[in-house]
Amino acid sequence: MKAIFVKELRDVIRLAPVGFIFTTAFVFMSLPDSSYAASMVDSQLVAPVALVGGLFAIALGLYQSLPDSRADARGYLLHRTATPSEIYWGKVGAGFVAYLIATVIPLLMLGVRLAWIGIEVMPVSALQVLPALLVSVLMYLMHPTMIWIVYRDARWLGTRLLPAVFVSTVFGFVVGSLIQWIHGTELFTITLLLAAVLMVALIVLTSGRHAFTALSFLPPPSSPKRRHLPSALGLLLGAVMGYGVVVVFVLLSLPGEKRDRKIYQVVLDRDGQWWEVEQKYSAKNWNQQAIAKRPINSDEAFQEVSDTSPWVDATPLSMQTWAHDHYSLAQFEFLGQFGTRTRRGAITTLIQSGGKLLAYGASDQLLGIVTPEGTFHHPNEVTGGFQNPSLGFYMGGDWKNGYSNEANPVIFHDRGVYQIDLENVVARELVDHPVEGLGMIFENDQHPASFWTINQGSLIRYDVKPLNPDDSMPRNDDQVIRDTSIVSIPQIVISEAERFTVEPIGKHETLRVVRSTEGDHYLLRNDLLNNIQIVPLADTEEIISVQTEQNDNGNESEFAVAAWGFPPIISAGVYALVVLFTSEVGRLPIPASLWIMVSLHVALSIGVMIWLTRGRGLSTRARTMWVVIAGLFGMGTSLAVVAIVPKPIMVPCPRCEKLRCVDQERCELCDQLFDPPPAEGIEILESESPRRLSYT
């Protein structure tokens, strides 16, 4: 084994400098040039590293496989005392060493560079290369995938490349999910990704070994050496995934009439009447918007509204985004860029890292590290920190939009609410108890501004005023604010005015506080299915439940993609679970056409599978199994059976007169032995002992 490893390493190490150069070029192109880019280095590195690493692993795998697949080179390789299995693992191990040199060393060099820069210059850390390192090691599995492909005895290119389709699709999902969820995801999602990676690693490594040690010797179709469960599973998943990708791409590319996009909400007008409002975005141009209304809980037709000004003021409640049960690989989180009311041109970038707020100036110099305990100018001096901090992004608004704050941001965490004074780079405490969400309704001619927080069923209204008497609060009737949806909040002070008891926040709820013309307040609770509760905060009114129309994203091909592009067991199963899960709070509008298309998909898959398995020498039990698989996983299984079960040479059976495999001792249909060939007198029979020859 050692000799094989050294021999393969000597052959493949010459490619390592080429991969090293390309990886280094791609990696160091990701060096940041701003505080925002620096905070995103970990997620921006993943995609180029996955691309370069995957291509280099493919090159290594082909380099170690294609030359040795020739008859003369293979004979020279196999004449050694090492077993084919030892030769295979020697190739994989030697390739892995060359791969590490080419891909991991540049990432470690980048980590050293980022550590040398330090957060005093930019929000960077050596640990930002960790996600890219994980992806880099993962992409090496493309190397044994190439061995699997080269030594399979597939008859055409489509089935030969199924292992690559399988591995590429799973890796695409894993890498895309990692980029999307790198700043925090649930433990279940992390477990799912790890399970997918381990499954792929097990299938690829064992299937590559099976192809090299068994299939490369071209066993007959009925030989037990062809049977390998991980290989069959990988080819089945590859066929289903490849079919799904092609079908989804075709369906989404087909021209068709798109519907208008429609969003439904409940709105209070200035006369105190509640309406169900429809926002319709034109399918031809989503910038064209039409607004219509009708009374809540009615079947009347929507009447178009030309003027949106009669609606009252409101504020969405920004919810805590850094959930307790989320895990993150990101070292930094970009919170935003903010100015101050007195220094318009002074832009401060806020970055969250481990519960600490890093404030960077316009030229990316570190202004300070902010915690509830104070402001620090060197990382070694920092004490304390925010616990699960979130940005109060939306402050004020109306029924349609929340206004984003561009000055003196408000931060809330498990212990309270703080406003960041960007003039002095310091955190000022506003609320000294835990908060799950917050918002602010700005003043108008009739009512002053109010600040709102919610936590565990306790909704609190605060009176709010500027800290500096010379400052003024934003006004909700300011046309510039309405047109831009951007406000600049001054430094504020708040005092508790009222406390209300409400139901705790649901997992998928969005909350909005509405202020009527008379000054009464309502809490609007909206779930995923547009089940809306209007909760009066005064004791004189009752809660009103409203079921609006379901939002329509205007995509007609959604259900066709689900029915034909996904395995029936997934498409039908997911929609059935959604219907059952939402039975108590409302049902999603799933048209009957979905179930019809899924049924047609199942019937067509079964019919094609019955036809394909007729001439492949399968037993009745095996054919039944494939038919069941086709009904569950759809048309992709047709390609899988072609790849997994090669079509053997068939001859008529003299007993049952049906076609049987020529390379089997018994007919798979009637279980009869083949008739022995006629004797010619030159045969050596197994039962006879060979005669000893005498040379005397």
Side-chain angles (χ1 to χ4, degrees):
M1 175 93 177
K2 181 179 178 181
I4 289 294
F5 174 80
V6 172
K7 177 260 181 190
E8 292 292 337
L9 182 61
R10 188 170 56 247
D11 290 342
V12 81
I13 198 68
R14 67 191 70 177
L15 294 182
V18 178
F20 179 86
I21 293 173
F22 278 97
T23 305
T24 303
F26 272 84
V27 164
F28 279 83
M29 284 171 58
S30 300
L31 278 174
D33 56 1
S34 66
S35 298
Y36 168 74
S39 66
M40 306 295 289
V41 164
D42 37 18
S43 57
Q44 292 177 347
L45 267 177
V46 170
V49 167
L51 177 62
V52 176
L55 291 176
F56 186 63
I58 290 173
L60 284 177
L62 294 177
Y63 182 78
Q64 290 185 276
S65 302
L66 284 177
D68 288 339
S69 64
R70 301 194 316 266
D72 53 346
R74 180 168 176 78
Y76 180 72
L77 181 66
L78 295 178
H79 87 284
R80 294 171 172 81
T81 56
T83 65
S85 181
E86 291 175 339
I87 296 174
Y88 167 77
W89 290 116
K91 287 178 175 290
V92 172
F96 187 59
V97 172
Y99 181 83
L100 291 180
I101 295 173
T103 59
V104 173
I105 291 181
L107 289 174
L108 296 178
M109 292 169 54
L110 178 63
V112 173
R113 170 64 175 166
L114 294 178
W116 181 78
I117 293 174
I119 63 172
E120 294 89 345
V121 179
M122 281 186 180
V124 291
S125 166
L127 294 178
Q128 285 181 292
V129 303
L130 180 59
L133 279 172
L134 296 177
V135 169
S136 174
V137 175
L138 172 65
M139 295 307 296
Y140 178 70
L141 289 175
M142 294 301 297
H143 174 280
T145 302
M146 293 301 106
I147 297 178
W148 185 7
I149 289 174
V150 169
Y151 288 101
R152 286 188 66 237
D153 56 338
R155 297 183 180 180
W156 62 292
L157 188 63
T159 54
R160 180 174 290 276
L161 294 179
L162 281 182
V165 174
F166 162 61
V167 178
S168 300
T169 305
V170 175
F171 282 1
F173 169 76
V174 171
V175 171
S177 300
L178 183 61
I179 294 174
Q180 182 179 359
W181 298 326
I182 198 171
H183 290 277
T185 187
E186 297 177 353
L187 181 61
F188 172 78
T189 305
I190 298 175
T191 305
L192 182 64
L193 291 180
L194 289 177
V197 169
L198 291 176
M199 178 195 71
V200 172
L202 177 63
I203 291 177
V204 168
L205 291 173
T206 58
S207 298
R209 175 184 175 279
H210 176 255
F212 185 82
T213 60
L215 298 183
S216 60
F217 292 95
L218 301 178
S222 61
S223 172
K225 293 183 178 180
R226 282 192 170 273
R227 305 189 190 111
H228 189 250
L229 182 59
S231 298
L233 181 59
L235 295 175
L236 174 62
L237 293 176
V240 173
M241 292 174 180
Y243 165 83
V245 169
V246 172
V247 170
V248 169
F249 175 78
V250 170
L251 289 177
L252 294 180
S253 302
L254 291 176
E257 188 68 24
K258 292 187 176 181
R259 302 189 306 270
D260 294 334
R261 181 186 176 196
K262 299 176 183 178
I263 299 176
Y264 298 90
Q265 298 190 51
V266 170
V267 182
L268 179 66
D269 67 11
R270 295 182 181 177
D271 296 328
Q273 183 175 355
W274 291 97
W275 299 89
E276 180 181 353
V277 174
E278 176 191 72
Q279 292 175 263
K280 183 188 296 183
Y281 297 87
S282 172
K284 297 181 180 179
N285 182 5
W286 280 7
N287 291 322
Q288 296 179 2
Q289 182 183 165
I291 299 176
K293 69 176 185 178
R294 72 180 181 187
I296 58 174
N297 292 329
S298 72
D299 296 328
E300 298 180 14
F302 283 94
Q303 302 295 324
E304 190 167 337
V305 180
S306 58
D307 186 9
T308 61
S309 61
W311 314 117
V312 298
D313 302 332
T315 180
L317 296 183
S318 298
M319 297 301 173
Q320 195 169 26
T321 56
W322 206 258
H324 298 211
D325 57 348
H326 278 45
Y327 300 85
S328 173
L329 288 175
Q331 302 302 309
F332 304 96
E333 180 190 8
F334 176 78
L335 296 182
Q337 293 180 322
F338 305 92
T340 65
R341 298 272 294 213
T342 58
R343 297 185 295 132
R344 293 283 182 175
I347 301 298
T348 301
T349 301
L350 283 184
I351 306 292
Q352 190 271 140
S353 176
K356 304 168 182 62
L357 301 184
L358 311 179
Y360 291 88
S363 57
D364 291 323
Q365 77 277 13
L366 180 65
L367 303 178
I369 304 174
V370 182
T371 71
E373 281 70 21
T375 302
F376 308 89
H377 298 281
H378 193 277
N380 296 331
E381 303 171 352
V382 179
T383 60
F386 298 94
Q387 293 188 3
N388 302 310
S390 294
L391 175 67
F393 188 77
Y394 291 116
M395 291 291 178
D398 53 22
W399 68 275
K400 186 170 54 175
N401 298 315
Y403 301 154
S404 59
N405 177 30
E406 67 172 3
N408 301 313
V410 177
I411 303 293
F412 61 106
H413 71 136
D414 289 351
R415 296 182 179 177
V417 179
Y418 290 78
Q419 186 176 28
I420 308 302
D421 180 358
L422 295 180
E423 293 275 3
N424 304 304
V425 194
V426 65
R428 293 178 47 254
E429 186 179 58
L430 299 179
V431 177
D432 62 355
H433 58 76
V435 167
E436 291 179 292
L438 56 80
M440 184 185 297
I441 301 180
F442 299 126
E443 63 183 32
N444 56 24
D445 292 336
Q446 292 82 26
H447 306 289
S450 58
F451 190 89
W452 296 80
T453 65
I454 187 171
N455 183 68
Q456 294 183 350
S458 181
L459 179 66
I460 305 176
R461 180 178 69 84
Y462 300 83
D463 293 330
V464 57
K465 61 181 180 180
L467 177 65
N468 186 343
D470 296 332
D471 289 336
S472 60
M473 294 295 297
R475 294 180 58 86
N476 230 28
D477 52 6
D478 188 323
Q479 194 59 42
V480 175
I481 294 178
R482 287 183 174 272
D483 292 341
T484 62
S485 296
I486 297 176
V487 295
S488 296
I489 298 178
Q491 290 294 312
I492 61 174
V493 291
I494 63 176
S495 59
E496 184 176 334
E498 289 182 282
R499 185 182 292 257
F500 309 95
T501 300
V502 297
E503 292 293 328
I505 304 173
K507 186 175 182 180
H508 299 292
E509 271 192 327
T510 58
L511 304 182
R512 185 182 298 266
V513 177
V514 177
R515 181 180 63 197
S516 70
T517 306
E518 291 76 16
D520 296 325
H521 293 92
Y522 301 86
L523 178 65
L524 268 62
R525 314 177 70 111
N526 192 350
D527 65 14
L528 290 176
L529 300 176
N530 278 13
N531 296 291
I532 299 176
Q533 279 190 335
I534 304 172
V535 182
L537 299 182
D539 296 333
T540 56
E541 301 180 57
E542 295 182 355
I543 296 176
I544 304 174
S545 296
V546 181
Q547 174 64 67
T548 69
E549 297 287 339
Q550 297 295 325
N551 295 336
D552 185 354
N553 62 9
N555 188 1
E556 283 190 342
S557 60
E558 174 185 352
F559 292 110
V561 167
W564 292 102
F566 290 85
I569 190 176
I570 294 179
S571 55
V574 167
Y575 279 107
L577 289 176
V578 168
V579 170
L580 293 175
F581 178 74
T582 59
S583 59
E584 297 181 359
V585 294
R587 295 181 180 274
L588 289 177
I590 302 177
S593 59
L594 170 70
W595 308 112
I596 295 175
M597 288 187 290
V598 170
S599 301
L600 289 175
H601 188 185
V602 172
L604 182 61
S605 302
I606 291 176
V608 173
M609 183 59 67
I610 292 174
W611 175 72
L612 281 175
T613 54
R614 290 180 62 182
R616 297 190 176 271
L618 295 174
S619 64
T620 303
R621 180 180 177 182
R623 293 184 64 190
T624 303
M625 181 192 69
W626 276 109
V627 169
V628 172
I629 292 175
L632 295 176
F633 293 96
M635 283 294 297
T637 55
S638 301
L639 184 60
V641 75
V642 173
I644 298 172
V645 185
K647 196 169 185 179
I649 300 175
M650 310 288 285
V651 296
C653 174
R655 299 291 195 277
C656 63
E657 299 182 351
K658 296 180 180 179
L659 293 178
R660 57 182 284 183
C661 297
V662 72
D663 61 344
Q664 292 187 5
E665 293 184 356
R666 294 179 178 272
C667 175
E668 62 274 10
L669 300 174
C670 64
D671 199 35
Q672 293 296 321
L673 290 169
F674 264 116
D675 290 334
E680 297 182 1
I682 60 173
E683 295 83 1
I684 299 177
L685 301 180
E686 185 179 7
S687 59
E688 295 182 2
S689 299
R691 290 178 296 178
R692 185 180 301 274
L693 297 179
S694 176
Y695 295 94
T696 58

